[in-house]
Amino acid sequence: MEKLEVIGAKRLKGNISISGSKNSSLPILAGTLLSNKKVRILNLPKVKDIETMLLLLRSLGSKIKFNKKNKSVDIHNSKNIKTYVSYNLVKTMRAGILVLGPLLARFGKAKVSLPGGCAIGSRPVDIHLKALSKLGVKYKIIQGYIHAKAPKGLIGNVIKFPKISVGATENLIIAASFAKGKTILRNCAIEPEIKDLINFLRKMGCNIKWTGQRTITIMGVQVLQNLKYKIMFDRIEAVTYMIASALTGGNLKIKNVKPKIISTEINILKRIGTKIKIKGNEINIVGKRKIKNIKLKTAPYPGFPTDLQAQLMVLLCKAEGRSEISEKIFENRFMHAPELNRMGAKIKIFGNKAIIEGNINFKAAELMATDLRASVSLILAALTAKGKSIINRIYHLDRGYEQIEKKLSNVGANIRRIS
Ligand code: EPZ
C-alpha cells in the first residue's frame, strides 16, 4: 500500500500548471457512447478515475487509442457496443452511472450496476432513474443492478429535477440529446463541467440550448459527427493549490485556468486575506500572515463547492478566531476533521456544521485518507506542520489529482511517495 511522506513546514514558491478536469472528463467520456463516429479528446487528466472510465468503455467494446505526441485519446464506439456495466467497474468510480443515459439513448437497453455509497455519503441515483423514466425508460433493480429498457426509444418530455444534481443533469442531457422530439430540463445543476459537456455534445452535433438560469432545452438528433475536443481545466485542483499557497505563506502562479469560473473562490480567498493578481489564464496568489475567520456554507455552483470544503477547513485552522463551515451537499463529508484534530486542530462537528478554532499550529503525524478531497486536505496540513507526516491510503488521492507530489515538489514542498 503506497503512502506519502511530507516534511513541513515549507513556503511554496513557483508555478503550477493545472490539468484537465476529472469531473468534466467523466461525463464527456460517457457522452462519447452516443456516437458511432471517431472522437478525439485532449487534456484528459492522468488520474485513476479516468483510467477506470476508459476501462469501462473498453469493457463495452469501445476502441481506445492513446496518442503520445499530443497526449490525446481517440475513442471509437462504432459497433457491437455492449450494454452491461459490471459492479467492479462502478464500485470505485461512481460516475460509471453516467453511461446509463447514453446506452439507453442509443441502444434502448442497459444493465448497469448501482454505484453504491462511498465515504462521503450514500450517493443515491433515484433522481437519475425517475428522470429517465420520464423519457419512457422502464427499469427494475435486481441484485444491485439497474435493468433498464426503452422499448420505443426515448421520447422527449418536460422534467423538473426535485433537487439540484450534477450527475442527474449530465445523464439526462446526454440521454435527451438522442430522444425523439423536445426535452426541457428544469432546476438543472449549472457547474462549469456541465457547460463543458454541453459544448462537447453541441460540437458532436447535438441540439442543446440554455433557455433559463437553470433550464436546458434539447431537441433530439440522430446523426452525429467526428470531433476533437479539449477538456476544461480542473477548477478544484486549481483552488486546492491556491489554498496551499495561502496556507504556507507562499507565492504561487497557477497556470492554465479561467479565473472567472472560480470567482466565488477567489473572492473568498481575498476576503480571508491573500493577495491575488489575475493575468489572462494565470493567477498569482501570495499568502499573508493574517488569515481572517469566516462563516460559510457549501452550495451548488455558483456557490462555494463542497469539493473544496476540506481544503478550506485546513486554511481556517490558521485563521484569527473561530470559523464555521456548513456542508449542505453531502451527509458525511467531515471525515478529514478527526485526522486534522490528531494534528492539533480544534474542530468540532455538530451535524452538518463544523466549528473551527483558529490560531493553531499543525503537528506532524501518521494519517489516514478516507476520500479524495479529505486526503488532499491532510497533505495541506502536513505542508505546514514541522516534521514528518505520513499519509496512508493515498489511492483515494490518485483518483483525482494528477502528479500531485511532482507538482508540489516543483514549488519547494518536501513530499515523496513511499511504498
Ligand atoms: C458530482 O457528484 C461530483 N462528481 C462530486 O465530486 C461533487 O461533489 C458533486 O457533483 C457536487 O458538486 C463528479 O462530477 C464525478 P450530485 P454527483 O448528484 O453528481 C444527492 C469529487 O470529489 N442525490 O450533485 O454524485 C446526493 O446524495 C466528487 O470530485 C440524490 O439524492 O453529485 C448529494 O447529496 C465528490 N439522488 C446531492 O444530491 C440522486 O439521484 C448532490 O449530488 C443524485 C444525487
Side-chain angles (χ1 to χ4, degrees):
M1 191 82 91
E2 288 191 316
K3 312 174 176 192
L4 275 179
E5 178 193 275
V6 181
I7 300 177
K10 294 271 187 279
R11 292 167 56 109
L12 303 181
K13 275 198 170 118
N15 300 343
I16 294 189
S17 140
I18 298 304
S19 304
S21 162
K22 163 181 89 79
N23 290 351
S24 175
S25 303
L26 292 167
I28 284 176
L29 288 171
T32 63
L33 285 166
L34 278 185
S35 167
N36 60 2
K37 304 278 177 36
K38 251 194 191 148
V39 178
R40 172 164 290 186
I41 310 267
L42 295 119
N43 202 30
L44 277 179
K46 277 186 207 47
V47 295
K48 195 82 188 99
D49 272 8
I50 301 309
E51 238 176 81
T52 310
M53 181 58 101
L54 290 171
L55 260 180
L56 188 158
L57 291 179
R58 268 220 177 94
S59 76
L60 293 175
S62 304
K63 299 276 171 284
I64 294 175
K65 191 165 95 40
F66 293 90
N67 309 308
K68 280 221 170 22
K69 64 181 187 328
N70 59 6
K71 295 197 285 187
S72 65
V73 179
D74 289 341
I75 299 175
H76 199 186
N77 300 311
S78 54
K79 49 186 187 311
N80 52 38
I81 292 285
K82 297 185 200 66
T83 57
Y84 164 72
V85 179
S86 79
Y87 174 62
N88 65 353
L89 281 164
V90 178
K91 65 179 183 230
T92 53
M93 197 271 306
R94 299 181 9 54
I97 191 70
L98 294 175
V99 303
L100 184 62
L103 289 176
L104 284 164
R106 188 167 158 205
F107 303 105
K109 64 181 172 77
K111 179 182 170 189
V112 177
S113 166
L114 277 169
C118 69
I120 64 176
S122 57
R123 315 296 292 276
V125 290
D126 54 316
I127 300 176
H128 298 239
L129 295 172
K130 284 202 189 87
L132 285 168
S133 52
K134 285 270 185 81
L135 297 184
V137 173
K138 306 266 176 275
Y139 70 86
K140 281 201 287 282
I141 311 278
I142 306 169
Q143 290 175 319
Y145 277 81
I146 303 160
H147 293 250
K149 54 182 192 299
K152 302 195 196 73
L154 301 185
I155 324 276
N157 202 342
V158 179
I159 296 168
K160 183 172 187 317
F161 292 111
K163 130 185 219 184
I164 292 172
S165 160
V166 170
T169 303
E170 291 163 344
N171 230 334
L172 270 291
I173 289 170
I174 301 171
S177 295
F178 246 40
K180 290 183 197 67
K182 180 183 339 187
T183 296
I184 299 178
L185 300 176
R186 294 214 167 91
N187 198 29
C188 296
I190 55 173
E191 268 64 5
E193 295 75 22
I194 290 184
K195 293 178 183 149
D196 212 26
L197 170 66
I198 290 175
N199 293 340
F200 166 76
L201 292 171
R202 272 203 194 122
K203 213 174 161 187
M204 194 155 79
C206 297
N207 181 338
I208 307 169
K209 289 193 181 65
W210 289 96
T211 47
Q213 215 255 340
R214 287 186 181 274
T215 304
I216 296 171
T217 299
I218 300 166
M219 292 307 292
V221 296
Q222 290 309 320
V223 183
L224 298 170
Q225 57 245 356
N226 296 352
L227 83 152
K228 193 162 80 168
Y229 192 80
K230 183 178 179 199
I231 301 282
M232 69 174 276
F233 77 102
D234 192 312
R235 60 191 169 105
I236 305 299
E237 182 196 18
V239 182
T240 298
Y241 289 124
M242 290 171 70
I243 290 175
S245 183
L247 197 57
T248 60
N251 182 342
L252 286 182
K253 196 176 276 178
I254 310 291
K255 303 167 83 96
N256 300 337
V257 294
K258 277 215 175 87
K260 68 174 176 12
I261 283 185
I262 48 176
S263 53
T264 298
E265 296 87 335
I266 289 171
N267 294 335
I268 286 173
L269 287 173
K270 278 184 179 163
R271 215 172 93 207
I272 287 182
T274 54
K275 214 154 106 258
I276 293 179
K277 262 206 300 303
I278 291 171
K279 203 166 121 246
N281 65 357
E282 282 180 13
I283 296 176
N284 180 223
I285 171 157
V286 180
K288 288 188 190 152
R289 251 169 354 84
K290 281 196 182 320
I291 293 170
K292 287 198 202 75
N293 56 328
I294 57 165
K295 223 168 136 186
L296 173 126
K297 60 182 186 345
T298 62
Y301 197 87
F304 188 80
T306 173
D307 292 350
L308 285 166
Q309 178 256 108
Q311 299 90 315
L312 186 76
M313 189 180 284
V314 179
L315 183 56
L316 293 175
C317 289
K318 310 287 281 181
E320 291 181 325
R322 177 178 294 180
S323 299
E324 210 176 280
I325 299 183
S326 297
E327 172 51 63
K328 296 286 194 189
I329 308 288
F330 289 109
E331 63 266 33
N332 186 34
R333 202 168 196 177
F334 286 135
M335 309 275 280
H336 41 286
E339 288 303 283
L340 294 173
N341 285 341
R342 291 181 57 246
M343 297 178 80
K346 293 191 185 67
I347 303 162
K348 287 208 177 70
I349 306 293
F350 302 97
N352 74 344
K353 193 180 284 181
I355 309 289
I356 305 123
E357 297 306 333
N359 300 310
I360 68 110
N361 289 317
F362 286 109
K363 294 181 198 61
E366 174 137 18
L367 302 156
M368 186 76 77
T370 51
D371 59 270
L372 169 58
R373 308 300 173 184
S375 40
V376 85
S377 74
L378 301 182
I379 293 179
L380 294 177
L383 286 172
T384 68
K386 281 202 179 55
K388 184 193 289 187
S389 297
I390 301 281
I391 295 144
N392 295 290
R393 296 194 183 168
I394 52 167
Y395 56 86
H396 290 292
L397 194 71
D398 293 336
R399 292 187 47 194
Y401 284 92
E402 183 176 349
Q403 297 184 315
I404 186 162
E405 65 263 35
K406 184 157 172 273
K407 293 189 181 189
L408 284 172
S409 320
N410 289 348
V411 291
N414 185 336
I415 177 171
R416 69 191 180 104
R417 193 174 284 251
I418 49 177
S419 36

